[in-house]
Amino acid sequence: RAWTALGRDHTERAAALFAAALKALAACRHHDRFFEANCVRALAHLALERFDRDVWELVRAHRARIDWSANGLAQPRFFIAYCAAAYQLDVEGNPLEAAREAREAERIAPSDAYRAQARCKRAAIARGAGELVSHHDHVESASELLARCDLTRLSGDEKLVPLVLAEELAYVDPGRARAMITLHGELSPMSPTLSGTRSGSTDAY
């Protein structure tokens, strides 16, 4: 029900349902880390989108106690760190902590495409801080990472990475930014079942 609400952009209802799911999970005899991690990932996106400090406190509390060594948690772990970087920058106004979280997201990224996405976040943080040489360097590095990827094998949220890169390339080389937008359009459509963030706002990005 929470994922359905998120897909319909009913963000307040989605956040309440994900929080309720975590509360119900806490009462279960057996603990499902995969379920918990993916609920927390969804809440991290919602906290960022809604600038919701209460929801972020729930994310922070669960993130600290999840056993990330369990199988199948690499992608939610990455996105929670990625959202944490954006949250620290956009909500808390703390570029130093945002840079640390973005560096952590890059370290734990489960693929080169996601590593390029984290590097774009590092570029955005440097740009916001007025560090234009660092921004340019991170953008070029992210471009090189994505160029190493087999684009035909990108799936789910990885297919958004060319757009994330285009956003930062627009400050460096608008022509290459347009090429990334064209590239994204040429990729096969995102599968809703393989995307953790499919919603109207994702389509509009």
Side-chain angles (χ1 to χ4, degrees):
R1 288 166 60 200
W3 284 114
T4 300
L6 182 60
R8 292 174 176 171
D9 280 332
H10 299 162
T11 57
E12 184 175 359
R13 177 166 173 75
L17 286 169
F18 279 120
L22 287 174
K23 186 175 181 180
L25 179 65
C28 293
R29 178 178 299 178
H30 301 291
H31 192 76
D32 187 331
R33 294 188 186 93
F34 184 80
F35 181 91
E36 180 182 23
N38 280 285
C39 281
V40 174
R41 175 203 168 161
L43 285 170
H45 286 286
L46 286 164
L48 178 60
E49 184 172 334
R50 296 169 55 82
F51 283 21
D52 193 323
R53 284 187 163 87
D54 291 336
V55 170
W56 188 259
E57 278 304 303
L58 191 59
V59 171
R60 186 190 58 76
H62 280 271
R63 181 191 188 191
R65 62 174 179 255
I66 293 175
D67 177 5
W68 294 111
S69 66
N71 289 333
L73 303 189
Q75 190 166 320
R77 185 185 184 191
F78 165 78
F79 273 105
I80 292 168
Y82 183 82
C83 286
Y87 185 89
Q88 288 297 327
L89 186 67
D90 297 339
V91 182
E92 298 296 342
N94 187 339
L96 188 59
E97 185 63 16
R100 188 193 69 78
E101 290 282 10
R103 192 168 65 250
E104 173 66 4
E106 182 178 336
R107 185 186 71 81
I108 63 176
S111 70
D112 276 343
Y114 286 134
R115 197 164 291 112
Q117 183 172 347
R119 207 159 291 177
C120 285
K121 179 57 68 179
R122 295 180 69 182
I125 293 165
R127 173 169 52 81
E131 299 172 359
L132 299 185
V133 172
S134 181
H135 170 260
H136 197 150
D137 182 62
H138 285 318
V139 171
E140 292 300 336
S141 182
S143 298
E144 292 167 5
L145 273 173
L146 189 60
R148 293 209 305 256
C149 296
D150 180 352
L151 300 179
T152 65
R153 298 178 67 86
L154 297 184
S155 65
D157 295 308
E158 286 182 322
K159 293 188 177 183
L160 282 177
V161 176
L163 290 185
V164 177
L165 179 56
E167 186 173 4
E168 295 309 315
L169 273 170
Y171 294 91
V172 175
D173 187 334
R176 288 165 63 198
R178 283 192 293 271
M180 282 293 110
I181 294 171
T182 300
L183 172 61
H184 173 263
E186 292 170 349
L187 297 175
S188 59
M190 292 172 66
S191 165
T193 58
L194 294 178
S195 169
T197 57
R198 186 62 182 266
S199 67
S201 58
T202 301
D203 288 335
Y205 184 72

